[in-house]
Amino acid sequence: MLEWPKENPNVETSRHELLSFEEYGKKVEENPVAACRPTYLYMLDMLKHFGKTEEGDYKLFDMDHLNSPAVYGQHGVQKSLIQNLINFEEEGFNNKFILLVGPNGSSKSSIVKKLISGLEEYSNTDEGTLFTFSWVFPIEQYTKGSLGLKSEKVHSNLNTYAHLEDKDILAIMNSDLKDHPLLLIPIEERKEVLNKLLEDHPKALDSVQKSYLYNGDLSTRNKMIYDALLKNYKGSHQEVLKHIRIERFEISRRYSTSAITIEPQMHVDAQMQQITMDRRLASLPPSLQSLNLFSMKGEVVLANRGILEFSDLLKRPLDTFKYLLMTMETRNINLHGILTDLDIFFVGTSNEVHLAAFKQHPDFNSFKGRFNFIRVPYLLNYKEETQIYEKQVEWIKDKTIFEPHALKALCLFSVMTRLRYPQVKNYPDKTLANITTNLTPLEKAILLAEKIAPERLDSESQNILISNIGKVQSEFEYENMYEGKFGISPRDIKKVIYKLASLYKNITFIEIIEYLNKLITKKNDFDFLNMTPQADYHHPARFIALIKDYFLDGFEKELRTSLGLVDARSYEDYIKRYIENVKALVKGEKKKNEITGKFEEHDDYFIKEFENSINLKEDPMKFRSHLLSKMGAYSLDNPGKAINYTEVFPNLVDRLQQSFRDEQKKVIQNISKNIVFLEAKFTENGGEKSLNHHLSKEQLEQFEKTISNLTENFGYSELGALSLIKFLIKERY
């Protein structure tokens, strides 16, 4: 247990390096752009450090950190945050308070946590190195030249006291606000230094010239110490800088270093305390003991050169954050008449209810100009919603199995609760208006996530809808009742998942539907259950009915595929052969065999077999004549174009497919008659003896093969597949 310090003696050295001011200057010269970054540029670089996805989103938000899970979706929020950082760069400081606004549980705080986690990780890299400084005051002998009784000589011409050992140090005074070391250079000289350092980086220079690093100064206490020492050393800046120890620091929310969250409770965010009577002062040089020094503390002070989050800002009394009006305007804070420059990314969260109340306050207009509101709605993409819960489902898989499509059914329901009924007035194009207003909430949810139009629409309508998805997505974006403002929250969905896990070993979409049917009766618990229905929208019972039919259709297709029956016919060739035989029959001609090249008589047996396959009820001669007329009309309308038989006779394709479905249906009906005995095969109480009395070997083998196909090809468990087969038979057979 105690071997690791011996094995890794220098593991933390690089992150706790101590430099003299001269050594720090050389580091700055190596990478002046990185050294001169205010927080907004530092945050932009941090996001770039983690890279982007193929879709152009920042990977940071998809990463998992300790106490900071991934934030899925919210692409608009990401873009807004980046745009604000770019705006700050143009302004030269963080001149707006970013307020994330949305319904409870929409991931506002998670987004801020993710930014903080990114900053913490980035500040521990070489690329994200941050420095501040402390004042070091050596023991008296270092300034007078001897070490006391032994009169041992000391190097009085030391260039710096930064590397002295603790025994040689009388006092150390840190920088409360983590002042940037470049601020130690007097302002006029600093401007010349920065101009020279960044002369090959015009964009960076332009940004820095607007920032506090170019125009600001040290915090009050550091300025007082600097000036007193400068006076003591008769104007020698070099002697003053000997007392400077440059220190690296890492952003840490846990240790309140440049990453602070202020909870809604009422308390002071920044304050000053006089340290004249502090014991440290007695150890300082006489020239400093007479100074009226103050120590600054509080959340705002701790957050400097980093991020400050106001959790649920609008729950706090207005007076506790009124100082933000001046701070956003001037980038400094006034403490008892002392102005102090700040370099903080201010961000807060609030729900819609508190924001609506805040808008009624007389001071709202004053704040509105200093705030940038970023909307954080619930997700409208069920695929992104699913990602939120996948790990949760993974954690409980030893206890409960979520069968295929179960989580999808739950997430489709949650998205449907957040959608509004499309309005004709919002679509100038009448055709598009007609299409969108006829979408069910389920069809709209699938369209937004999969970019797939309903199959019931003709191809032209599908193309129109797909090409206008952006309009459908943004229809209510600028309205007060925007989509995602209401509906069930991810927090509630997580509770549903844990509740289901406590009730069932296997969870299919059946259990999801049954639970949702109970949930929608709790109107006192969920506001979305009390909204006035519009068609199928805001109508939870209809949501469940639509979901039930959708997933029954899907499982029925999977079951039919798993039956082992194969439709080996090529519809194009099959229809072509039928038409050629019919043409030869009606016209009394021979048809050419494409393989042998010989002319042969029509195949009367094949014609009848085909017509039996499509379950022909009408007079065969009239039916055949109609087909030949239709083919002739197609040839006239499309001269020289090769005939595509499935395109010319789509109804024949449908009828052939239906014949195959009827064949499948007979097999499913046969399963339904014997489901009780078949079920015994897959239950603990079942056995071969009971089965052999009621089922043939072929029936049993086919059922076993069907279950096997459902598990191997579609991912169901045997019990899950059996449960769904029983439910499908009950509902449709």
Side-chain angles (χ1 to χ4, degrees), residues 292-335:
N292 192 17
L293 298 179
F294 288 86
S295 172
M296 300 183 70
K297 60 183 181 179
E299 288 82 356
V300 173
V301 174
L302 293 170
N304 199 39
R305 298 189 63 196
I307 183 170
L308 179 61
E309 175 198 6
F310 289 78
S311 180
D312 285 319
L313 173 75
L314 301 182
K315 284 185 178 179
R316 294 159 56 92
L318 187 63
D319 286 342
T320 63
F321 59 88
K322 256 191 175 182
Y323 68 87
L324 290 173
L325 289 173
M326 186 58 67
T327 299
M328 293 295 101
E329 188 80 22
T330 63
R331 72 181 173 207
N332 56 47
I333 190 168
N334 189 328
L335 290 176

Side-chain angles (χ1 to χ4, degrees), residues 483-599:
E483 290 181 313
K485 181 178 181 177
F486 51 87
I488 194 166
S489 78
R491 289 176 186 167
D492 290 319
I493 293 296
K494 287 179 179 179
K495 291 178 184 177
V496 169
I497 290 173
Y498 281 124
K499 183 64 176 178
L500 286 166
S502 69
L503 297 173
Y504 304 103
K505 174 66 178 174
N506 293 73
I507 299 172
T508 68
F509 66 82
I510 304 169
E511 284 72 34
I512 298 293
I513 287 169
E514 289 175 351
Y515 189 88
L516 291 177
N517 273 320
K518 296 175 183 176
L519 182 142
I520 64 173
T521 63
K522 301 176 181 179
K523 295 192 174 184
N524 290 333
D525 296 340
F526 302 99
D527 290 338
F528 75 90
L529 296 176
N530 299 299
M531 300 179 75
T532 304
Q534 287 183 281
D536 286 342
Y537 291 80
H538 314 308
H539 198 322
R542 283 296 298 149
F543 299 163
I544 296 172
L546 290 167
I547 288 171
K548 177 181 174 182
D549 287 341
Y550 174 74
F551 284 101
L552 274 175
D553 288 345
F555 179 73
E556 187 168 5
K557 288 179 182 178
E558 293 173 342
L559 176 60
R560 288 174 180 271
T561 302
S562 301
L563 290 173
L565 304 178
V566 179
D567 187 359
R569 298 170 295 193
S570 165
Y571 293 140
E572 178 68 21
D573 294 340
Y574 200 47
I575 295 171
K576 178 181 179 183
R577 184 181 170 194
Y578 172 69
I579 294 296
E580 288 176 345
N581 275 282
V582 166
K583 184 178 179 182
L585 172 63
V586 172
K587 294 188 175 182
E589 301 172 346
K590 291 185 177 182
K591 68 180 189 66
K592 185 179 180 180
N593 188 315
E594 294 182 355
I595 298 175
T596 64
K598 296 180 180 181
F599 286 89

Side-chain angles (χ1 to χ4, degrees), residues 441-456:
L442 177 62
E443 290 171 340
K444 184 173 179 180
I446 292 171
L447 174 71
L448 295 177
E450 302 182 29
K451 297 180 171 53
I452 295 176
E455 291 182 1
R456 62 179 176 79

Side-chain angles (χ1 to χ4, degrees), residues 229-329:
L229 288 176
L230 186 63
K231 182 178 179 180
N232 187 60
Y233 289 123
K234 302 194 171 33
S236 174
H237 292 282
Q238 188 173 354
E239 289 297 319
V240 175
L241 294 176
K242 280 185 180 182
H243 292 271
I244 294 298
R245 184 172 74 183
I246 305 296
E247 303 166 347
R248 180 173 180 177
F249 71 92
E250 291 83 40
I251 293 174
S252 171
R253 182 177 186 173
R254 181 183 182 90
Y255 299 111
S256 300
T257 306
S258 297
I260 305 294
T261 296
I262 300 178
E263 301 299 337
Q265 302 94 319
M266 180 179 177
H267 60 272
V268 180
D269 301 333
Q271 53 188 299
M272 295 178 65
Q273 178 182 354
Q274 190 170 355
I275 63 170
T276 305
M277 299 307 294
D278 193 308
R279 283 184 298 173
R280 288 179 297 172
L281 197 62
S283 301
L284 296 181
S287 60
L288 299 183
Q289 291 184 22
S290 61
L291 296 179
N292 192 17
L293 298 179
F294 288 86
S295 172
M296 300 183 70
K297 60 183 181 179
E299 288 82 356
V300 173
V301 174
L302 293 170
N304 199 39
R305 298 189 63 196
I307 183 170
L308 179 61
E309 175 198 6
F310 289 78
S311 180
D312 285 319
L313 173 75
L314 301 182
K315 284 185 178 179
R316 294 159 56 92
L318 187 63
D319 286 342
T320 63
F321 59 88
K322 256 191 175 182
Y323 68 87
L324 290 173
L325 289 173
M326 186 58 67
T327 299
M328 293 295 101
E329 188 80 22

Side-chain angles (χ1 to χ4, degrees), residues 157-429:
N157 60 345
L158 277 177
N159 292 324
T160 179
Y161 305 134
H163 302 301
L164 291 178
E165 295 182 14
D166 281 354
K167 64 184 181 65
D168 298 325
I169 297 175
L170 198 62
I172 297 175
M173 188 166 288
N174 63 11
S175 177
D176 292 337
L177 285 151
K178 296 179 290 296
D179 281 4
H180 198 294
L182 288 176
L183 296 176
L184 288 162
I185 305 173
I187 187 166
E188 294 305 323
E189 288 80 359
R190 191 189 329 139
K191 289 180 179 181
E192 292 179 12
V193 169
L194 291 173
N195 289 338
K196 185 175 180 180
L197 283 171
L198 298 171
E199 60 184 350
D200 295 328
H201 308 279
K203 184 178 179 182
L205 178 58
D206 180 62
S207 178
V208 168
Q209 285 177 339
K210 301 172 185 174
S211 75
Y212 78 102
L213 289 176
Y214 199 82
N215 302 299
D217 210 335
L218 292 167
S219 57
T220 302
R221 189 174 80 187
N222 285 328
K223 181 65 172 172
M224 291 170 69
I225 295 172
Y226 193 102
D227 290 344
L229 288 176
L230 186 63
K231 182 178 179 180
N232 187 60
Y233 289 123
K234 302 194 171 33
S236 174
H237 292 282
Q238 188 173 354
E239 289 297 319
V240 175
L241 294 176
K242 280 185 180 182
H243 292 271
I244 294 298
R245 184 172 74 183
I246 305 296
E247 303 166 347
R248 180 173 180 177
F249 71 92
E250 291 83 40
I251 293 174
S252 171
R253 182 177 186 173
R254 181 183 182 90
Y255 299 111
S256 300
T257 306
S258 297
I260 305 294
T261 296
I262 300 178
E263 301 299 337
Q265 302 94 319
M266 180 179 177
H267 60 272
V268 180
D269 301 333
Q271 53 188 299
M272 295 178 65
Q273 178 182 354
Q274 190 170 355
I275 63 170
T276 305
M277 299 307 294
D278 193 308
R279 283 184 298 173
R280 288 179 297 172
L281 197 62
S283 301
L284 296 181
S287 60
L288 299 183
Q289 291 184 22
S290 61
L291 296 179
N292 192 17
L293 298 179
F294 288 86
S295 172
M296 300 183 70
K297 60 183 181 179
E299 288 82 356
V300 173
V301 174
L302 293 170
N304 199 39
R305 298 189 63 196
I307 183 170
L308 179 61
E309 175 198 6
F310 289 78
S311 180
D312 285 319
L313 173 75
L314 301 182
K315 284 185 178 179
R316 294 159 56 92
L318 187 63
D319 286 342
T320 63
F321 59 88
K322 256 191 175 182
Y323 68 87
L324 290 173
L325 289 173
M326 186 58 67
T327 299
M328 293 295 101
E329 188 80 22
T330 63
R331 72 181 173 207
N332 56 47
I333 190 168
N334 189 328
L335 290 176
H336 304 288
I338 297 177
L339 290 178
T340 301
D341 285 337
L342 296 176
D343 183 21
I344 299 176
F345 178 76
F346 289 93
V347 63
T349 60
S350 176
N351 62 39
E352 289 283 359
V353 175
H354 288 103
L355 178 61
F358 183 47
K359 287 180 178 178
Q360 306 305 313
H361 196 281
D363 288 332
F364 173 71
N365 287 329
S366 299
F367 281 94
K368 185 170 66 174
R370 275 83 166 188
F371 278 40
N372 274 353
F373 301 96
I374 297 180
R375 185 178 289 169
V376 186
Y378 292 140
L379 297 181
L380 302 181
N381 183 321
Y382 83 82
K383 286 186 172 182
E384 294 172 344
E385 180 95 0
T386 303
Q387 290 178 288
I388 297 174
Y389 317 115
E390 283 177 343
K391 284 198 173 181
Q392 184 183 3
V393 170
E394 180 70 17
W395 291 335
I396 60 175
K397 68 178 181 180
D398 293 337
K399 175 184 176 183
T400 301
I401 297 173
F402 268 72
E403 300 286 346
H405 312 307
L407 196 54
K408 178 180 177 181
L410 187 58
C411 291
L412 275 171
F413 174 82
S414 66
V415 168
M416 290 163 73
T417 67
R418 304 164 188 167
L419 298 177
R420 283 184 60 184
Y421 178 57
Q423 306 291 315
V424 173
K425 65 179 182 179
N426 294 329
Y427 297 95
D429 185 326

Side-chain angles (χ1 to χ4, degrees), residues 138-148 151-158 161 164 167-168:
I139 58 178
E140 186 177 352
Q141 286 86 342
Y142 268 82
T143 56
K144 292 192 175 181
S146 72
L147 281 171
S151 299
E152 184 176 342
K153 290 293 179 183
V154 179
H155 298 290
S156 58
N157 60 345
L158 277 177
Y161 305 134
L164 291 178
K167 64 184 181 65
D168 298 325

